[in-house]
Amino acid sequence: MIGVISYLVFFATVASILSIAVLGLNLQWGNTGLFNGGVVAFFGAGAYGTLILGGTPQAGQMGGFELPYLIALLGGMVISGIVAWVVGLLTLRLRHDYLAIATFGVAVAFETVMRNSDWLGGAQGIRGFERPLRDALGNGFSYNLAFLAFVLVVLIGIYLFLERLIASPFGRLLRAIREDETAARSLGKSPSRIRLTAFVAGSVIMGLAGGLYATFYAFISPQDVLPILTFQIWAMLIVGGAGNNKGAVMGTFLIWAAWTASGWALSRFAPMDVQLYTGSIQFVLIGLVIVGMLMWRPQGLFPEKLVVSQSAKDK
Amino acid sequence: MTALVAKDIVAGYVPDLPILKSVSLTAETARVTVIIGPNGAGKSTLIKAIAGLVPVSSGTVSLHGQKITNPRPDRMGALGVAYVPQSDNIFRSLTIRQNLDLVLRNAGKEAAARRDALFAQFPALADKQAEKAGALSGGQRQFLAVAMALAINPSVILMDEPSAGLSPKAAQEVLEYTRALTENGVTILLVEQNVKQALRLADQCYILADGRNQVDGAAQDLLNDPVVGQIYLGGKRVAPA
Amino acid sequence: MIQNLVDGVLVGSILSLGAIGLTMAMHMLRFANFSHAELLSIGAYAALVFDGLFGAIHPALAEAIPPLSLTWSLSIAILISMALTGVSAVLIDRLVFKRVRAKGGELSMVFASFGVAMIIRNILGLIFGLSPKLYSQDIVFAIVVSRDPFLLIKPDQVFTLVAALLIMVILHVILSRTTFGYALRAVAENPSLAQVSGINLSRMIVLIWLIGGGLAAAAGVFYGLTNQINPVLGRDLVLPIFAATIVGGIGSIYGAVLGGFIVGLASNLALVILPSGYSPAVPFLIILAVLIVRPHGLFGEERT
Ligand SMILES: Nc1ncnc2c1ncn2[C@@H]1O[C@H](COP(=O)(O)OP(=O)(O)OP(=O)(O)O)[C@@H](O)[C@H]1O
Ligand SMILES: [Mg+2]
């Protein structure tokens, strides 16, 4: 019984962390129409940033600055934001495909650099991170429960923040840009500036998710920032319904449950010689989910309430 | 005889946002019919709707008595209708000769002869046939566009402001050439901003504003009509209502 | 250094073939197709299958054409693979992209193309296994062209380069001498004028997929011939091919050819100063450099 509960806590923690990343993506894609093909890079920047800033010194590795945890977490977010700002600055005024390609490229480059730079942990990843408050909470179930509570608080905070943002004039502007760039420009707003803001903000939120993820495992390595994570996060958003924060969170729990369940079922019931291909089968499934949703239910399972923005109505 | 009839056309670029709210027009065979009106009136949209580039949501277009509403644009040539767009009406990255060969590519054995005939008609183009069309001057570009239209031996030509952006002399030349085409039995439906010039050479005239017919009649009459003269010929552009 | 140059040209020719189809489809359908590189994989594996098939039908076909490791059966298989891959590209468009196009915007197509890439890549892995394959088990020794500077070239590499260049020359002749080629260029420049000039757009889209798929298949086989075939071939080549299209300017066929060579050369020359582990990141640096210096590429036009 305690095993089940402790697994549920574990599951809920990871799903909540991923939900935060999905919310960040929703700000970019759902609300602003920006395609981010390299979610893992921003997630990873936050994760690596947090561990390097907050970790203990390790031989041959950069970092180990032992900053207070929350500052380290914040630092990770800032690093994500800087990466996003550079990429956005170069691509956001171009055709949208450039952003897709460049962000995809960032993710490839990020993984490559992390894997090959020993001073950034190399293929082994970053170790030597002490989870905050471990002395007070111990290392067991109670710690995980407390951490889940912390993650949930952050998730709710981000959720509320985004809901307010979307209802604000800035949020309306984002949707106006998404729907009709020319109209938005004629309002005298500079769409590329606003897009850049939304892109950086979304990436910072992904960085936060990455930081929490790395904290949870007290470890991060190139294996954690593989392209598949980007696809999973997309699938979560597309299934949930782009544009809708509640849907995004529900989509995350749904897809993460399906992913872990399918992995478990395959490893449990599939014959030995198929085991090697578990990953391939799961990847095909997630590809089918993405393509299938786009073909048959592009609005997602929990679609955005149709808010026709003022500019679209007036045209 | 009527060549082209558009009846109660409603059309637009996006669903539920008609640019043409209701437009009707008739183009007589071997005559010049001119469409004038303020900027944004929907003149180009009307021509595009006839050519199949903008979906017509209600109303009909007929050609020589046959309904052709919402045709596939690539089939218009086969129906004998050529269309010279307002801008970007030649392929700049192709040479002049390639532009013509492109429109002549279904003409089979006749293609070479027809191309030579066009070059004989437009010696200025013949001289530059191996040059990129993008390098042509404005007037020559219009002539190339007209030559491309003529290549398919059309019975009807839809022309959208062929004189726009040309020097007065070049504009006059293009318009006179257009007029001359009717002598071979070609029907011309022309959009023009040079209202006076257009009315002088046209037979029939339609005035559009805000996606609707405003006034129409024989070009001569409109030219002498004091009200029309004041609104449309005073040199002022009138904003759409 | 010289070795890097030579290798770079070779890889460049393969990237060029891949980039031509990508740039055409990207320009026409206005979306970044992340599944294009999977067509290279499809082509490489299709040729592997037919190579085996022909070799089994007639042992003489399984003989290598000296001094290459390329067999007669593989040479025929390449042609069949090109055709099949072209047809696959058309089918993928019919099954997925066309429907997504009808339902949503261009960006949904980008998502869909990622999904398609995942599906193809992993199905290939499931069918053919995750371990690398070779067209020929025979070892063909590289020829030492020169000792100082040291330069090794395999006969297959020379063949690949010549064949790739030949394909490009044929394409060039088609583009510059035939009305079909004019039509292709016309569609790329101005689709609606192309339509009113009597060009059937949907037929052109089919032809572009066919050509793009065929060229990708050739690239895939050439890659397999000079390296090895594995299911993640598409994953490894997608970014360099995108880089080639961006360097050349999206929509420019000649730009894609040049871009392919530039990316191939740059990636190999980068190895002179960078450890080889970093090479996957080089195309990204090239993309960044182009976006900073000349965002629309060498031959691209600004479009929004
Ligand atoms: N591709 C398009 N998509 C959406 N709206 C368009 C498009 N082209 C034109 N419009 C709109 O349709 C209306 C009519 O445009 P149209 O080009 O038909 O005018 P026009 O009478 O030809 O004007 P002009 O004299 O400037 O050529 C305008 O309000 C314009 O903004
Ligand atoms: Mg007009």
Side-chain angles (χ1 to χ4, degrees):
Chain A
M1 188 60 203
I2 192 78
V4 174
I5 292 181
S6 111
Y7 183 78
L8 283 180
V9 168
F10 168 78
F11 174 86
T13 308
V14 177
S16 305
I17 291 173
L18 291 175
S19 298
I20 296 173
V22 176
L23 286 176
L25 183 66
N26 194 24
L27 177 62
Q28 296 177 341
W29 164 245
N31 294 307
T32 325
L34 299 174
F35 187 95
N36 188 339
V39 175
V40 279
F42 306 101
F43 184 89
Y48 272 87
T50 303
L51 292 204
I52 288 173
L53 294 173
T56 57
Q58 301 288 308
Q61 251 178 39
M62 188 183 92
F65 295 107
E66 297 184 279
L67 294 180
Y69 176 64
L70 289 180
I71 302 214
L73 193 60
L74 209 63
M77 292 162 70
V78 170
I79 295 173
S80 288
I82 293 172
V83 177
W85 185 73
V86 172
V87 174
L89 209 56
L90 287 174
T91 51
L92 282 174
R93 55 208 159 79
L94 301 170
R95 245 177 89 181
H96 60 69
D97 352 4
Y98 287 89
L99 180 66
I101 298 167
T103 45
F104 178 76
V106 175
V108 172
F110 184 83
E111 189 203 327
T112 306
V113 170
M114 292 307 152
R115 197 177 287 287
N116 287 283
S117 308
D118 289 333
W119 53 280
L120 288 169
Q124 306 303 317
I126 298 255
R127 292 169 195 283
F129 179 77
E130 297 268 341
R131 303 212 283 178
L133 299 183
R134 207 184 59 176
D135 296 337
L137 294 166
N139 222 354
F141 180 67
S142 57
Y143 188 95
N144 288 349
L145 206 57
F147 191 73
L148 174 60
F150 173 59
V151 169
L152 284 176
V153 168
V154 175
L155 173 60
I156 292 168
I158 294 285
Y159 178 88
L160 293 177
F161 166 74
L162 288 174
E163 285 289 303
R164 296 194 78 158
L165 184 81
I166 288 163
S168 73
F170 183 77
R172 280 201 295 279
L173 208 54
L174 292 183
R175 277 191 302 282
I177 291 173
R178 180 186 72 179
E179 275 151 33
D180 187 342
E181 160 143 15
T182 339
R185 186 176 289 136
S186 69
L187 292 174
K189 309 292 180 185
S190 149
S192 48
R193 277 275 294 283
I194 292 160
R195 279 214 215 107
L196 185 60
T197 313
F199 186 67
V200 171
S203 300
V204 166
I205 294 173
M206 291 170 194
L208 170 63
L212 292 171
Y213 180 88
T215 311
F216 183 56
Y217 288 104
F219 173 67
I220 190 85
S221 82
Q223 283 314 106
D224 296 310
V225 293
L226 296 179
I228 183 66
L229 184 59
T230 300
F231 300 131
Q232 288 169 330
I233 287 176
W234 281 354
M236 290 163 181
L237 182 60
I238 294 175
V239 166
N244 165 12
N245 287 326
K246 214 171 288 159
V249 176
M250 290 198 274
T252 310
F253 275 77
L254 198 66
I255 288 291
W256 190 240
W259 178 266
T260 37
S262 67
W264 177 79
L266 283 167
S267 68
R268 181 77 192 264
F269 300 115
M272 241 354 240
D273 47 336
V274 177
Q275 296 281 329
L276 184 60
Y277 294 96
T278 319
S280 301
I281 295 171
Q282 280 188 297
F283 289 179
V284 171
L285 290 177
I286 209 140
L288 287 173
V289 166
I290 291 177
V291 172
M293 286 300 292
L294 290 171
M295 268 162 57
W296 290 297
R297 211 179 150 82
Q299 71 277 30
L301 296 182
F302 318 100
E304 175 184 26
K305 280 185 268 51
L306 252 189
V307 193
V308 178
S309 72
Q310 209 52 40
S311 75
K313 228 188 276 169
D314 290 348
K315 241 188 347 173
Chain B
M1 262 231 305
T2 59
L4 189 72
V5 181
K7 201 162 177 303
D8 305 324
I9 300 289
V10 180
Y13 298 88
V14 278
D16 306 325
L17 258 179
I19 301 287
L20 301 179
K21 288 146 195 157
S22 172
V23 177
S24 301
L25 135 175
T26 304
E28 300 291 332
T29 305
R31 294 277 181 275
V32 176
T33 304
V34 70
I35 306 169
I36 59 179
N39 288 111
K43 306 178 298 287
S44 298
T45 307
L46 174 60
I47 299 271
K48 285 189 229 169
I50 294 172
L53 288 172
V54 170
V56 172
S57 49
S58 95
T60 54
V61 179
S62 17
L63 178 71
H64 308 306
Q66 249 174 341
K67 285 215 173 77
I68 58 155
T69 323
N70 288 322
R72 253 179 48 188
D74 54 300
R75 296 242 175 97
M76 288 303 277
L79 296 172
V81 181
Y83 163 49
V84 183
Q86 179 169 356
S87 56
D88 293 325
N89 48 21
I90 51 153
F91 296 106
R92 268 172 281 156
S93 61
L94 301 182
T95 66
I96 290 155
R97 196 187 167 117
Q98 288 170 343
N99 267 286
L100 289 177
D101 285 346
L102 177 68
V103 280
L104 281 167
R105 79 192 186 297
N106 295 327
K109 283 194 215 91
E110 261 184 71
R114 272 207 238 165
R115 185 187 62 213
D116 292 342
L118 286 167
F119 277 143
Q121 234 174 60
F122 301 97
L125 296 180
D127 295 343
K128 298 190 169 178
Q129 51 177 293
E131 279 177 38
K132 287 262 154 73
L136 289 176
S137 73
Q140 287 167 337
R141 240 183 247 196
Q142 285 308 348
F143 276 116
L144 175 57
V146 173
M148 283 164 71
L150 291 177
I152 59 162
N153 285 340
S155 61
V156 177
I157 305 183
L158 314 172
M159 290 178 120
D160 199 348
E161 302 200 23
S163 70
L166 301 187
S167 68
K169 183 168 163 280
Q172 187 64 29
E173 244 181 283
V174 170
L175 289 177
E176 271 164 18
Y177 185 82
T178 306
R179 167 87 240 178
L181 289 174
T182 56
E183 274 145 41
N184 305 327
V186 180
T187 306
I188 307 279
L189 183 58
L190 176 75
V191 174
E192 255 308 321
Q193 293 277 17
N194 292 336
V195 177
K196 271 189 187 154
Q197 255 174 330
L199 284 179
R200 279 198 198 104
L201 67 85
D203 300 292
Q204 187 74 12
C205 174
Y206 288 83
I207 299 179
L208 298 191
D210 196 23
R212 294 176 198 281
N213 290 76
Q214 303 295 323
V215 185
D216 57 68
Q220 259 324 294
D221 300 347
L222 292 190
L223 196 55
N224 300 327
D225 185 312
V227 180
V228 171
Q230 202 188 356
I231 301 178
Y232 295 102
L233 310 181
K236 274 181 293 182
R237 283 281 161 79
V238 183
Chain C
M1 182 79 183
I2 290 282
Q3 185 75 53
N4 292 83
L5 272 175
V6 171
D7 291 347
V9 169
L10 179 80
V11 174
S13 68
I14 292 172
L15 296 179
S16 296
L17 287 180
I20 293 170
L22 178 60
T23 209
M24 289 197 293
M26 237 162 118
H27 184 75
M28 278 284 288
L29 303 174
R30 305 185 67 95
F31 81 109
N33 181 6
F34 280 84
S35 66
H36 189 82
E38 305 308 320
L39 296 174
L40 275 75
S41 306
I42 294 180
Y45 279 106
L48 184 72
V49 170
F50 282 95
D51 178 32
L53 210 63
F54 293 139
I57 291 173
H58 201 304
L61 290 174
E63 304 266 317
I65 309 171
L68 309 174
S69 79
L70 177 84
T71 58
W72 295 104
S73 58
L74 182 57
S75 346
I76 314 170
I78 293 178
L79 298 177
I80 295 184
S81 157
M82 286 173 74
L84 270 183
T85 310
V87 172
S88 315
V90 175
L91 281 181
I92 294 168
D93 185 55
R94 277 284 144 84
L95 281 176
V96 180
F97 295 140
K98 204 169 174 182
R99 295 187 196 196
V100 177
R101 217 158 41 227
K103 281 247 168 168
E106 297 149 4
L107 282 162
S108 302
M109 307 252 293
V110 184
F111 272 115
S113 75
F114 267 102
V116 168
M118 296 260 286
I119 296 170
I120 295 177
R121 188 181 305 157
N122 289 290
I123 286 183
L124 286 175
L126 288 173
I127 298 176
F128 295 99
L130 300 176
S131 53
K133 296 246 184 312
L134 293 171
Y135 287 118
S136 161
Q137 304 305 329
D138 300 342
I139 296 169
V140 176
F141 290 101
I143 298 165
V144 181
V145 179
S146 112
R147 288 198 185 276
D148 187 36
F150 193 70
L151 182 58
L152 275 179
I153 294 182
K154 286 189 194 160
D156 285 340
Q157 294 179 317
V158 177
F159 164 79
T160 293
L161 184 61
V162 171
L165 290 176
L166 188 70
I167 291 175
M168 289 177 214
V169 169
I170 293 174
L171 190 68
H172 167 71
V173 170
I174 291 176
L175 286 173
S176 62
R177 297 277 146 80
T178 68
T179 49
F180 168 66
Y182 307 159
L184 262 180
R185 286 159 62 197
V187 168
E189 182 185 320
N190 186 341
S192 78
L193 182 62
Q195 264 187 303
V196 300
S197 306
I199 295 168
N200 181 340
L201 268 194
S202 36
R203 188 180 302 155
M204 278 324 254
I205 291 175
V206 169
L207 287 169
I208 283 174
W209 283 119
L210 272 178
I211 297 174
L215 296 180
V221 178
F222 295 159
Y223 185 85
L225 197 61
T226 47
N227 296 280
Q228 45 174 272
I229 318 160
N230 64 50
V232 293
L233 188 154
R235 184 199 68 191
D236 294 342
L237 291 182
V238 62
L239 198 57
I241 291 178
F242 267 124
T245 63
I246 289 185
V247 169
I250 294 174
S252 165
I253 292 172
Y254 295 106
V257 170
L258 197 61
F261 283 106
I262 291 176
V263 173
L265 277 171
S267 305
N268 273 278
L269 289 177
L271 296 182
V272 176
I273 46 170
L274 279 178
S276 67
Y278 286 97
S279 67
V282 174
F284 172 66
L285 295 180
I286 298 174
I287 291 175
L288 280 193
V290 173
L291 291 182
I292 292 168
V293 180
R294 203 182 159 89
H296 300 288
L298 293 173
F299 299 118
E301 280 179 28
E302 181 162 359
R303 34 189 304 194
T304 45

